[in-house]
Amino acid sequence: MAAVQWHSRARRYEAELLACRADSVAVDMNDYHPLKPIMVTESRTRRGGRRGSTSSTTSSSSSSSAAADPLSCLLDGTDPLSMFAAASTDTPTLTHSASAGELGRRRRDREVCEECVGSDFEPWASKRADILARFTTTEKLSINLFMGDKAKASSPSSAVSEKVRTRLEELDDLEEGSQRELLNLSQQDYVNRIEELNQSLKEAWGSDQKVKALKIVIQCSKLLSDTAVIHFYPSKFVLITDILDTFGRLVYERIWTMCSDPQPLPEGFSPEDVNDTAKETCLNWFFKIASIRELIPRLYVEAAILKCNKFLSRSGIQETLPRLTAMIRGIGDPLVAVYARAYLCRMGMEVAPHLKDCLNKNFFDLLASFRQLHGDSVQKQLQQQRVEIPAYLTLYSPAIHWILQCVSYRAPEALLTEMMERCKKLGNNALLLNSVMWAFRAEFIATRATDFITMIKQCDETGFPKHLLFGSLGRSLASADPAEAERLSILNDAWKVITKIRSPQDYINCAEIWVEFTCRHFTKREVNAVLSDIIKHMTPDRAFEDAYPQLQSVIRKILTYFHDFSILFSMERFLPFLDMFQKDSVRVEVCRSIMEVFIKHQQEPTRDPVILNALMHVCKTMHDSVNSLTLEDEKRSLALLINGFIRLVSFGRDFEQQLSFCVEARATFCNLEPVIIQLIHTVNQLAMETRRVMKGNHSRKTAAFVRACAAYCFITVPSLTSIFSRLHLYLLSGQVALANQCLSQADAFLKAAVSVLPEVPRSISVEGKQRSTESLLLDFINNFMATLLVVPDHPEQGVLYLVRGLLNMVQDYTWEENSNAKVRVYCSAIPLLAAMSQETYLYSIPKVDSNETLYGGDPKFIAEVNKLCDTLIGQVLDHLKALGNGESLRKQSALAFSLFSILLAHGDLRNNKLNQLAVNLWNLSHKHGHCDTRTSVRTLEHIKNLQQQPELTHLSDIIPRLSLQSRA
């Protein structure tokens, strides 16, 4: 194609802006307006009217029905809320019999709701995991079960005759009750075996072998009478009762299903609703259980199906619970008996929590049996297993805690007081007192905290350590506040005992609990004293290494109550306390928790040197934990916390101090790139804040300061590994330098950005996937060119040297194959050059003389701009010619139309060559029918509108030559 002679169209930006603004129209307030209230139609039934008659009352706004509201049209004029109200009032009247039945059903439902346990009751399931983790053993265990080898009966490769013989043997075992003893099982093997039995129960039930399922449950229940490995008994209880719970659920669901024909039972059903077949089946289960000879399995299995009494009679549960409670008195081992009471209380709370008398009876029977704990049989058993009394008594804690929790749930104050008095009569039994403080309401304990301390002091130290009692008291006082006058004496009495504990582990377990009470009610002086005492006890022999979870808990509790970090770091012992966290992972976790609280609760930026020095140390600890093995997510989260700290540091008008802080932070956090990026943004923001304070008129001092900020950014940006972070920060820093009239610094930033562009790879990894950088690079170049409009040429360089340098880079860059990216940059550069040739630029920077001022529309400058535009258009036209084959016609059409739009917007089409080129580009874009017809029609309409402007009347000659062509 022939060479073109570019001439830019003269633009009047202010006039164009005014022409683009929408015309203002006077609004008559009497007409419809979208902010007026919409019409609402309320429909309701007239009460007392004759049957079937209704009336409709319409309440409308004060506006007339000049225009219908679109939402009201969709709703057919009726507001959905009004329809809902009308439906709620339009309730049909019930007949007398139906009404009575409905009222009865509602009454039963209400009674069921009253019997339900609320969300404030801690369920057994939440305690299960803690018991299994707490009560473990390394001793070998045994299971005395006839089905012990069931899982190993046969393998898939066994012969059929072997399977038959094995099954016959199992059936004989079931009939004769013979047993096989599995010895030398580890704890995990024992747990796995119990799980297998649970699965066997479900399989037997599913295959309709109900008798076999019952026998599995009976044999499992027998295990609860075995205390050979006494340390493991609480965990064994949890595992076996899981099987009992499964059995109870299966039986109940079985009978419920039998009652569901023809329709399911309601939730609040009565025995009259149950059919005879279901009742007979239910009775059959109770008769089978009653025939069990041994006490413990009979007790546990009947308790497991306690809920099934609801199918037989209204008072079944009420009669059964006292009988089962009395049966427990026949269990000789106090440990076995207390867990049996715990299971009975658990089942009682699930099916009949309102029957408090039975729960209370279990508790009082428990009190009566406490003398057994020191009997000869128990002492002999402990000697045989070499178990100390304190360790033995802790085995009772889960069961007694649960019993007391059930008894005290929503119990009146008088009952709790009575129970407390009964505990006193037992001689302040420490085990019972500990459970009382665990189970009773925290408010009850807090109001009587002084009394409890007196009782604790009177307890015998040998049986149950006092520090455990003070730990239980501390838990209650952390949830409820004692009288203000008693708080200091309570803390002193407790700490006198705590500080005398010799075992570091026991000490920190108790001290950690009381830290919350101290932080909740006292000042930094008392908290500092507590921290000092903890350091004193935990430093010898590096005892803190075994107590990191408790020490972390201390930190969390302090941070919960102290959000003012000036107070926190003024505690002399806080930072030495942090020094006890020697393990890297734990230390970083503690530092992370400190920074999270600081960022969350620090409302205003700070310059307090105490806070800054301490938090710099904390952040440096997090930063120094980063190594080559650190995951990217971990780096990102640490950088986020450090950036939050940096943003909250402000020295006010002391800008030099702020810059010094950034210099120190850059040296400290050099391994975290997001932190370096944040520091560059902070320094750029500092330079702009200086400009704002000086209102753009820098003094010698502030001019030197903003140049120092630019120098900081210039030497920091190259340290970044992310190529696009470097590009964007070079550009941003150049814009900031330009705004502060630092022309040489801005020039250096922009030249650095151009020099970095060839390093941009063709693809980068984003979240583990390779992504092309072409779109990112084009976005940056367009942003860069928008800045170049206001950048003045360097006096020692040629005209438009930055634009030429950028275009040369684009020319030499290795773009993707079959990509239009290069010519798209050329197309973007043409509007920039056209804007540079205007007498007044579209935008400018105050106090900075752009090329419009430097050249003043000099003809030589305009000629250089036009020459560069000619070159760019020639490159684009050559590319269009290369796109002439079949596969690239769509790209050719889009590029031709884009260049046509540029000529229309920025070129002077009075020039015949440009005029003809524009027509040729239009025809080329429509030649093969790939151009969007609607876009073409709108473009023609736009040209027709433009020709009405006095300076664009020449466009009328082009319009007849622009035709719409369909696809060939």
Side-chain angles (χ1 to χ4, degrees), residues 249-281:
R249 176 177 52 80
L250 292 173
V251 172
Y252 185 84
E253 290 176 354
R254 161 79 170 162
I255 301 173
W256 176 278
T257 305
M258 296 175 69
C259 300
S260 299
D261 189 20
Q263 58 183 5
L265 286 176
E267 283 294 331
F269 70 91
S270 65
E272 290 77 14
D273 298 326
V274 181
N275 57 48
D276 293 339
T277 304
K279 286 184 177 181
E280 184 177 352
T281 303

Side-chain angles (χ1 to χ4, degrees), residues 3-14:
V4 297
Q5 296 180 359
W6 173 264
H7 292 280
S8 299
R9 176 164 71 90
R11 304 288 294 274
R12 294 183 301 160
Y13 294 119
E14 293 184 1

Side-chain angles (χ1 to χ4, degrees), residues 517-790:
F517 178 78
T518 309
C519 295
R520 188 184 181 103
H521 300 297
F522 298 97
T523 62
K524 69 173 186 177
R525 177 175 171 271
E526 288 78 11
V527 176
N528 191 61
V530 170
L531 293 179
S532 178
D533 194 61
I534 294 176
I535 294 171
K536 178 182 175 182
H537 280 77
M538 302 305 296
T539 302
D541 300 326
R542 299 178 69 85
F544 53 78
E545 292 182 346
D546 299 322
Y548 284 139
Q550 293 88 339
L551 296 176
Q552 284 181 273
S553 177
V554 170
I555 289 291
R556 284 194 297 268
K557 289 174 181 177
I558 293 174
L559 294 175
T560 300
Y561 292 96
F562 287 86
H563 298 155
D564 189 339
F565 277 72
S566 61
I567 296 176
L568 186 66
F569 289 120
S570 64
M571 296 182 195
E572 296 178 1
R573 310 307 295 169
F574 184 76
L575 290 178
F577 185 86
L578 293 181
D579 291 338
M580 287 197 294
F581 295 97
Q582 299 289 322
K583 189 177 180 181
D584 289 344
S585 59
V586 178
R587 185 169 66 247
V588 171
E589 194 63 33
V590 171
C591 293
R592 185 198 296 272
S593 62
I594 292 173
M595 293 309 304
E596 286 173 352
V597 173
F598 176 76
I599 294 171
K600 181 178 179 180
H601 295 284
Q602 185 70 24
Q603 301 295 330
E604 299 292 335
T606 182
R607 59 184 301 173
D608 188 327
V610 175
I611 296 178
L612 296 185
N613 289 334
L615 291 183
M616 278 291 285
H617 172 73
V618 170
C619 291
K620 186 177 186 303
T621 300
M622 294 193 298
H623 169 270
D624 292 347
S625 69
V626 175
N627 54 43
S628 58
L629 300 178
T630 306
L631 297 176
E632 288 300 321
D633 285 346
E634 179 72 10
K635 291 181 182 179
R636 192 179 300 114
S637 64
L638 293 177
L640 195 63
L641 293 173
I642 297 175
N643 287 345
F645 163 63
I646 292 172
R647 284 193 291 267
L648 286 170
V649 175
S650 174
F651 291 88
R653 292 292 183 90
D654 192 350
F655 295 152
E656 293 181 352
Q657 185 66 29
Q658 186 87 23
L659 182 59
S660 299
F661 169 79
C662 291
V663 171
E664 180 185 357
R666 180 180 62 188
T668 305
F669 308 125
C670 57
N671 290 333
L672 290 174
E673 189 159 303
V675 179
I676 300 300
I677 294 173
Q678 175 63 42
L679 289 170
I680 295 172
H681 283 302
T682 301
V683 172
N684 280 328
Q685 186 178 2
L686 190 60
M688 294 305 294
E689 182 66 14
T690 305
R691 177 180 180 273
R692 185 189 66 80
V693 171
M694 300 302 295
K695 299 180 179 178
N697 300 312
H698 283 296
S699 63
R700 180 177 298 178
K701 183 177 181 180
T702 58
F705 175 75
V706 294
R707 286 195 295 271
C709 292
Y712 176 98
C713 296
F714 190 76
I715 63 176
T716 306
V717 170
S719 65
L720 302 176
T721 58
S722 171
I723 185 71
F724 282 101
S725 295
R726 273 189 281 160
L727 286 173
H728 288 293
L729 288 173
Y730 270 136
L731 177 57
L732 177 64
S733 301
Q735 292 168 343
V736 171
L738 201 62
N740 283 282
Q741 304 146 42
C742 302
L743 300 184
S744 60
Q745 284 79 6
D747 200 61
F749 279 117
L750 298 177
K751 283 198 294 185
V754 172
S755 66
V756 168
L757 283 173
E759 301 176 17
V760 177
R762 292 173 62 175
S763 64
I764 57 174
S765 177
V766 179
E767 297 180 354
K769 297 181 180 180
Q770 290 297 316
R771 179 184 172 188
S772 173
T773 60
E774 186 174 285
S775 60
L776 300 175
L777 184 57
L778 288 177
D779 289 342
F780 171 77
I781 292 176
N782 288 333
N783 192 2
F784 189 86
M785 288 193 294
T787 304
L788 291 182
L789 176 63
V790 294

Side-chain angles (χ1 to χ4, degrees), residues 211-230:
V211 175
K212 182 177 179 180
L214 176 59
K215 290 191 175 184
I216 291 174
V217 176
I218 292 171
Q219 294 299 322
C220 289
S221 302
K222 288 181 180 180
L223 294 174
L224 293 175
S225 62
D226 177 24
T227 56
V229 184
I230 203 165

Side-chain angles (χ1 to χ4, degrees), residues 50-295:
R50 58 188 176 85
R51 190 172 183 179
S53 66
T54 58
S55 64
S56 177
T57 304
T58 303
S59 58
S60 62
S61 63
S62 58
S63 64
S64 61
S65 57
D69 175 58
L71 294 179
S72 297
C73 293
L74 289 175
L75 297 171
D76 296 329
T78 304
D79 176 40
L81 294 179
S82 301
M83 294 174 64
F84 180 76
S88 65
T89 58
D90 191 16
T91 304
T93 304
L94 296 173
T95 64
H96 176 72
S97 59
S99 177
E102 182 66 22
L103 289 175
R105 187 174 304 281
R106 288 179 181 177
R107 188 181 299 111
R108 289 197 300 270
D109 292 344
R110 185 165 57 252
E111 289 173 357
V112 170
C113 292
E114 290 174 356
E115 294 176 4
C116 292
V117 176
S119 59
D120 55 337
F121 183 82
E122 185 180 5
W124 174 259
S126 64
K127 302 176 182 292
R128 182 182 180 281
D130 179 61
I131 295 174
L132 291 174
R134 182 180 170 193
F135 297 97
T136 59
T137 183
T138 56
E139 297 182 35
K140 294 300 181 180
L141 303 165
S142 63
I143 293 184
N144 227 6
L145 289 176
F146 63 83
M147 69 287 292
D149 290 330
K150 175 181 181 299
K152 302 178 182 179
S154 61
S155 63
S157 60
S158 302
V160 175
S161 59
E162 181 67 22
K163 291 182 179 179
V164 172
R165 186 170 64 253
T166 302
R167 288 175 180 173
L168 289 174
E169 290 175 358
E170 289 178 356
L171 290 175
D172 292 339
D173 288 340
L174 284 171
E175 291 297 326
E176 299 171 9
S178 63
Q179 298 181 352
R180 297 171 184 168
E181 187 174 17
L182 298 179
L183 301 173
N184 298 325
L185 295 177
S186 66
Q187 178 179 322
Q188 188 58 48
D189 292 337
Y190 190 92
V191 172
N192 293 340
R193 181 64 61 178
I194 295 296
E195 287 297 325
E196 289 175 9
L197 292 174
N198 201 354
Q199 188 62 34
S200 298
L201 169 65
K202 296 176 183 176
E203 292 174 358
W205 191 274
S207 59
D208 205 25
Q209 300 181 54
K210 305 297 189 295
V211 175
K212 182 177 179 180
L214 176 59
K215 290 191 175 184
I216 291 174
V217 176
I218 292 171
Q219 294 299 322
C220 289
S221 302
K222 288 181 180 180
L223 294 174
L224 293 175
S225 62
D226 177 24
T227 56
V229 184
I230 203 165
H231 284 300
F232 188 63
Y233 190 85
S235 293
K236 182 199 290 188
F237 170 80
V238 170
L239 296 171
I240 299 300
T241 51
D242 284 348
I243 296 179
L244 289 166
D245 293 341
T246 301
F247 177 72
R249 176 177 52 80
L250 292 173
V251 172
Y252 185 84
E253 290 176 354
R254 161 79 170 162
I255 301 173
W256 176 278
T257 305
M258 296 175 69
C259 300
S260 299
D261 189 20
Q263 58 183 5
L265 286 176
E267 283 294 331
F269 70 91
S270 65
E272 290 77 14
D273 298 326
V274 181
N275 57 48
D276 293 339
T277 304
K279 286 184 177 181
E280 184 177 352
T281 303
C282 187
L283 277 172
N284 188 31
W285 277 110
F286 281 108
F287 290 152
K288 288 177 183 177
I289 293 169
S291 65
I292 300 173
R293 292 189 297 270
E294 296 184 33
L295 171 61

